[in-house]
Amino acid sequence: MIVCKFGGTSVGDAQAIARTASIIAGRRERQPVVVVSALGGATNMLLRIAEQSAKGQLIGALSAVEALRDRHLKQTETLLRDDATASADISGELSAMFDELAALAEALKTLGDLTPRSLDAIASLGEQLSSVLVVAAFRAQGLPAEHVDARQVMITDAQYTRAEPHPDAIAEAAQRLIMPMVRAGSIPVMGGFIGSAQGTGVTTTLGRGGSDYSASLVGAALQAEAIEIWTDVDGMLTADPRVVPDARLIERIGFDEASELAAFGAKVLHPNTIAPAVMRGIPVWVLNSARPEGTGTLITFDSPRRPVTAIAGKSGVTLLKVRSPRMLLTEGFMRTLFEVFERHHTSVDVVATSEVSVSVTIDDVSRLEALVIDLRALGDVTMERNRGIVSIVGNGLSDGGSAMATALSAIGELRVHMLSLSSSGINLTVVVDGEQVNPAMQRLHRAFFPAAVVS
Ligand code: ASP
Ligand code: MG
């Protein structure tokens, strides 16, 4: 049994949904369980509808409801054009959900207040709609799809908009509701992202992008052989292709390497969301639904050791340096320093220290002013905005060999503000001027992944 998750673009329109159906048709004998996102862009639109309604802008909200309704009904019509009865049934079912959405919008307008709980009631509609539509589309292509109400499986706590899953309850529900369908030869289809609070059954969501998390939780609950995350890129690449046009596909990557890349700029998927599966030894594939013949990227707990797997980068980083003679030969200074960051809920990315100074980088500058005031109590503070980070990630980076020398010579004369090698030796991070991030990535990529020589 495998779990196949399709993101918003893989179910974005009738053509994409039809392609998704044929991907599943080709995997019948592997007993797929399907998890789908909302139609691409639908969740954003639903959240906007909720906000507008609560602000009293009901006309705008309701016209967005109708635009979203049209989009879903058009896809239904196209996908079910050979079966008028099914088309009418599904259109009716979807339309009823849109009526409910319009009623929710009006209620929010009256209340003039948007609670996380009502936000989830609205945001969850995207996956409720897409899962019904995808079941119908699969059936129209002859696949024995069966709808699973994700809220009966994805049992969570009651932290609306970022609910925490309860893995034991999910495992029990998945075994009870999904497993029999799989055994009977059906193809269960459920929405990702949404769940319900244990005890009350009120609808919750797992947070933005939560469908990958749903797929991983269901895969872990069913002890799946593999999880496939179908998206709109070929997999994870050796660098961002917008910066490094000849970036290439990483065929296999370790979970820890993927996590480092995500933290330092790669955007394909957030590794935390696949942790429940990877930790149980379930391999996770990232695949392109527009090019299903591609090999994709395989993420596993362990991966082949190599010095460099990929280069990531991001700009818009702020560097803070605290110099204090008090640091010399004293203990506890670091703790005091980091408590300041903790107090201001600001997470630190890269750290480097000398005997009398500490440099850290942060992404989130929303508490910067307060942070700096508190840091000044510890020493002289300098702040450098508009820095960037370039990260060289590989689980064999510090195994010896020439990787470090290659990295430093590739960076060449670019101004380096900070350098840090993680203790696990998997990530060499260089802080440069913001505008040097792309050139640094290009140089490093050229050095570690020289273009194939055509002979
Ligand atoms: N539809 C949700 C979102 O856009 C969840 C997901 O697609 O993963 O955040
Ligand atoms: Mg996504």
Side-chain angles (χ1 to χ4, degrees):
M1 202 260 314
I2 59 173
V3 173
C4 301
K5 180 261 174 177
F6 293 90
T9 44
S10 306
V11 294
D13 56 33
Q15 209 187 348
I17 295 176
R19 226 173 14 228
T20 291
S22 53
I23 290 171
I24 291 301
R27 283 167 159 68
R28 285 280 308 269
E29 81 284 6
R30 299 184 69 194
Q31 300 184 301
V33 171
V34 177
V35 176
V36 292
S37 285
L39 270 57
T43 308
N44 285 338
M45 219 161 148
L46 288 164
L47 293 173
R48 209 153 344 119
I49 288 167
E51 273 164 33
Q52 280 183 316
S53 310
K55 277 198 214 136
Q57 301 160 1
L58 192 59
I59 295 172
L62 291 180
S63 73
V65 172
E66 292 320 309
L68 206 52
R69 187 197 303 258
D70 280 353
R71 180 172 168 206
H72 281 80
L73 294 186
K74 253 193 215 104
Q75 314 305 0
T76 307
E77 211 175 282
T78 311
L79 287 160
L80 304 184
R81 61 184 166 263
D82 296 332
D83 187 344
T85 322
S87 180
D89 283 354
I90 299 303
S91 301
E93 195 175 335
L94 298 180
S95 248
M97 290 194 228
F98 281 105
D99 295 344
E100 185 191 329
L101 173 59
L104 280 167
E106 283 177 40
L108 283 180
K109 188 222 162 209
T110 310
L111 290 168
D113 181 32
L114 193 56
T115 62
R117 176 173 163 165
S118 41
L119 207 51
D120 274 357
I122 290 187
S124 68
L125 279 166
E127 274 74 5
Q128 295 187 52
L129 291 157
S130 67
S131 55
V132 168
L133 177 55
V134 167
V135 168
F138 279 15
R139 288 199 180 154
Q141 296 215 9
L143 294 170
E146 239 178 287
H147 188 257
V148 175
D149 185 342
R151 291 168 298 181
Q152 289 180 12
V153 176
M154 214 30 74
I155 310 300
T156 68
D157 67 10
Q159 293 183 66
Y160 300 103
T161 73
R162 52 188 171 91
E164 285 293 334
H166 289 174
D168 293 342
I170 293 168
E172 187 279 320
Q175 292 292 343
R176 180 167 43 81
L177 297 169
I178 299 179
M179 218 47 195
M181 293 182 187
V182 174
R183 290 214 180 90
S186 304
I187 300 173
V189 176
M190 63 180 264
F193 178 55
I194 63 184
S196 70
Q198 192 159 39
T200 63
V202 178
T203 301
T204 57
T205 68
L206 303 177
R208 293 308 305 274
S211 293
D212 294 340
Y213 199 19
S214 300
S216 157
L217 288 160
V218 169
L222 295 171
Q223 290 162 314
E225 280 155 45
I227 294 179
E228 296 180 346
I229 307 281
W230 289 88
T231 176
D232 53 5
V233 294
D234 285 341
M236 298 188 80
L237 302 183
T238 50
D240 183 340
R242 287 165 302 185
V243 179
V244 180
D246 66 339
R248 53 196 83 157
L249 184 72
I250 304 169
E251 289 189 3
R252 200 164 161 198
I253 188 168
F255 178 70
D256 51 354
E257 294 176 306
S259 305
E260 293 290 338
L261 287 175
F264 290 101
K267 284 182 197 72
V268 177
L269 103 173
H270 204 293
N272 284 354
T273 63
I274 59 164
V278 175
M279 296 311 168
R280 275 178 183 71
I282 303 173
V284 177
W285 298 85
V286 179
L287 294 152
N288 188 348
S289 65
R291 256 180 23 88
E293 67 285 1
T295 52
T297 297
L298 170 61
I299 307 172
T300 49
F301 193 76
D302 290 312
S303 74
R305 284 190 90 80
R306 71 204 134 187
V308 177
T309 299
I311 316 282
K314 64 180 176 189
S315 50
V317 168
T318 297
L319 179 56
L320 290 170
K321 294 183 180 165
V322 183
R323 281 181 65 84
S324 170
R326 266 172 50 205
M327 218 179 127
L328 193 65
L329 305 175
T330 57
E331 61 254 20
F333 183 86
M334 289 293 180
R335 195 195 60 206
T336 316
L337 181 91
F338 285 111
E339 270 170 0
V340 174
F341 289 91
E342 189 185 349
R343 204 156 55 237
H344 294 288
H345 304 287
T346 300
S347 133
V348 165
D349 266 344
V350 189
V351 181
T353 70
S354 75
E355 199 46 54
V356 291
S357 77
V358 184
S359 308
V360 307
T361 69
I362 59 173
D363 267 348
D364 176 7
V365 290
S366 57
R367 308 289 301 267
L368 189 60
E369 234 171 280
L371 248 175
V372 169
I373 290 173
D374 283 4
L375 289 175
R376 286 222 168 96
L378 303 176
D380 292 336
V381 180
T382 44
M383 181 179 76
E384 299 169 18
R385 296 252 209 179
N386 204 9
R387 297 283 180 244
I389 290 179
V390 178
S391 268
I392 303 149
V393 173
N395 57 11
L397 189 61
S398 48
D399 283 355
S402 56
M404 293 294 165
T406 306
L408 294 177
S409 83
I411 292 165
E413 76 285 4
L414 291 186
R415 177 102 197 269
V416 172
H417 297 279
M418 217 171 134
L419 198 66
S420 156
L421 176 68
S422 67
S423 67
S424 57
I426 167 178
N427 184 353
L428 176 68
T429 299
V430 185
V431 177
V432 295
D433 288 337
E435 59 274 18
Q436 299 295 354
V437 169
N438 291 356
M441 282 177 74
Q442 287 151 359
R443 288 176 184 213
L444 285 162
H445 198 273
R446 218 176 299 133
F448 285 110
F449 304 96
V453 184
V454 185
S455 55

